[in-house]
Amino acid sequence: MRLIMLGAPGAGKGTQAKRAAAHLGVPHISTGDIFRANIKEGTELGRKAKEYMDAGALVPDELVCDLVADRISKEDCAKGFILDGFPRTIPQAEALDRALENLGTSIDYAVDIDVPDEAIISRMGGRRACVGCGATYHIKFNPPKQEGVCDTCGKDLILRDDDKPETVKTRLGVYHEQTQPLIDFYSAKGVLVTVDGTQGMDDVFAEIVSKIGA
Ligand code: AP5
Ligand code: MG
């Protein structure tokens, strides 16, 4: 199955995409995670992306479209994939359509995880990310067994640089302006599924699974 996770920053795309990928046995592809890995490794792509990410802006389309087109053409994506954080603009969605057409396939569902801005702002301050494996926690809604330590790999948990309150507000503005139009784009194609992202994580997952018939 080929899925896209749509939703505001902090809506729970990563949380649900990881679970859905395990459930469906397909790769989870997060462009944000790819950029963060490149920043950590000090690559040229990471250096370019960091400047935009720290400001809460989108990385330019030309730095992301080819990267995703290349990733979804890999062998492990033959049976499907879950895209998390891509596409984020109409030009990215059109580039994805072209890449899928070249592969002779198309998207099955675009899942929009709907969460109002007020809930997002209170969620983001509590998120913690592992510096080692990238696992995500929340100090209240999904705490690690030991404070500040990753359950999976034992490394430190940190607040992401772009989760500071001012940057979160900028990211929400960018989302409404540039990414929200994708809801109409995928609705017009008849593949949009909307789930209530204000529920607990298990209920959000159950709603996704039931609506995509997985
Ligand atoms: P990216 O990493 O994609 O960040 P984002 O879209 O801003 O989304 P987040 O990862 O912050 O949130 P999420 O929806 O994954 O939520 P999560 O599951 O963690 O992108 C970062 C930056 O990279 C962008 O700003 C941009 O600069 C750049 N970028 C990336 N892709 C790009 C592209 N295609 N084009 C251009 N630039 C790009 O959950 C959030 C928190 O809430 C967690 O703590 C979690 O535990 C908790 N939580 C989750 N679900 C629930 C629930 N149901 N109830 C309570 N708490 C919950
Ligand atoms: Mg994420």
Side-chain angles (χ1 to χ4, degrees), residues 57-76:
L58 292 185
V59 173
D61 291 342
E62 58 269 25
L63 289 183
V64 68
C65 290
D66 290 351
L67 184 152
V68 175
D70 181 58
R71 180 64 189 86
I72 62 173
S73 69
K74 296 272 191 289
E75 183 64 34
D76 65 339

Side-chain angles (χ1 to χ4, degrees), residues 13-15 30 33 36 84 127 160:
K13 299 182 296 297
T15 302
S30 156
D33 287 352
R36 281 184 287 277
D84 160 13
R127 172 164 58 185
R160 246 166 63 177

